[in-house]
Amino acid sequence: MLPATTKWYDRRDCVVIEFCVEDSKDVKVKFEKSKMNFTCLGGTEGHKHQNEIDLFEVIDPNESKHKRTDRSVLCYLRKVESGKSWPRLTKDKAKLSWLGVDFNNWKDWEDDSDEELSSFDRFSEMMNNMGGEDELPDVDGAVEDEYADSDDEKMPDLE
């Protein structure tokens, strides 16, 4: 049995795992509180794949799901502690050759706090309420006549 090449990414309320097996058959996914098990037959040669993962944190097995596509099997693991980031997928810090981060879908959601978003909204509202060109303050020494500048003479036509 070979482990399937696997990518994962973290979200506020879930962890998404993708087992990259094309044309998978006999897919079996078992979710437990701190562990998950994946098996399938895959590819044109029908290799048997198995991945057993001791998870970094606890998940809700009843709310976790999986979906098979032609190219992979996606697993949605519902976190028990929503809002807590996972620095890695596995409990152990060991580097696994078949496991990698899905950087195309990774998002640093921990930096997006509601407080920061609301202050951004307040800033946008303040900018919109600042008025247009008609309300610009007078500047001492500013020329009011738009044609008063001597450099604004008509240019001769090009030949």
Side-chain angles (χ1 to χ4, degrees), residues 119-156:
S119 67
F120 177 78
D121 291 338
R122 285 193 303 262
F123 177 76
S124 296
E125 185 179 330
M126 180 184 75
M127 292 300 288
N128 290 335
N129 291 336
M130 283 186 70
E133 291 180 15
D134 295 339
E135 298 177 18
L136 291 176
D138 291 334
V139 179
D140 290 339
V143 179
E144 290 189 23
D145 183 9
E146 63 182 88
Y147 298 106
D149 193 354
S150 64
D151 292 342
D152 288 341
E153 296 174 9
K154 184 174 188 277
M155 298 287 293

Side-chain angles (χ1 to χ4, degrees), residues 17-152:
I17 302 174
E18 180 179 17
F19 295 100
C20 304
V21 180
E22 291 185 17
D23 300 324
S24 58
K25 297 172 184 71
D26 298 331
V27 174
K28 293 183 180 108
V29 179
K30 183 179 178 186
F31 300 109
E32 297 177 26
K33 286 188 177 224
S34 59
K35 179 192 253 187
M36 78 165 290
N37 201 340
F38 167 80
T39 60
C40 77
L41 297 175
T44 55
E45 294 145 16
H47 291 293
K48 187 164 186 174
H49 296 280
Q50 180 178 8
N51 297 64
E52 188 173 305
I53 303 171
D54 288 323
L55 300 169
F56 179 76
E57 286 285 335
V58 179
I59 62 167
D60 184 347
N62 298 326
E63 291 292 318
S64 299
K65 305 170 187 171
H66 75 280
K67 179 183 178 184
R68 183 194 138 343
T69 67
D70 290 340
R71 300 187 141 253
S72 64
V73 177
L74 288 170
C75 297
Y76 170 90
L77 285 63
R78 173 69 91 183
K79 292 179 180 178
V80 169
E81 284 189 62
S82 181
K84 185 174 182 182
S85 69
W86 289 22
R88 60 185 178 277
L89 179 63
T90 61
K91 190 172 281 298
D92 297 329
K93 289 185 179 182
K95 173 96 172 117
L96 303 171
S97 61
W98 50 268
L99 180 62
V101 173
D102 186 351
F103 288 107
N104 291 333
N105 289 306
W106 192 270
K107 181 182 174 189
D108 286 334
W109 55 263
E110 330 175 76
D111 298 339
D112 297 340
S113 73
D114 294 337
E115 183 178 308
E116 288 173 351
L117 290 175
S118 63
S119 67
F120 177 78
D121 291 338
R122 285 193 303 262
F123 177 76
S124 296
E125 185 179 330
M126 180 184 75
M127 292 300 288
N128 290 335
N129 291 336
M130 283 186 70
E133 291 180 15
D134 295 339
E135 298 177 18
L136 291 176
D138 291 334
V139 179
D140 290 339
V143 179
E144 290 189 23
D145 183 9
E146 63 182 88
Y147 298 106
D149 193 354
S150 64
D151 292 342
D152 288 341

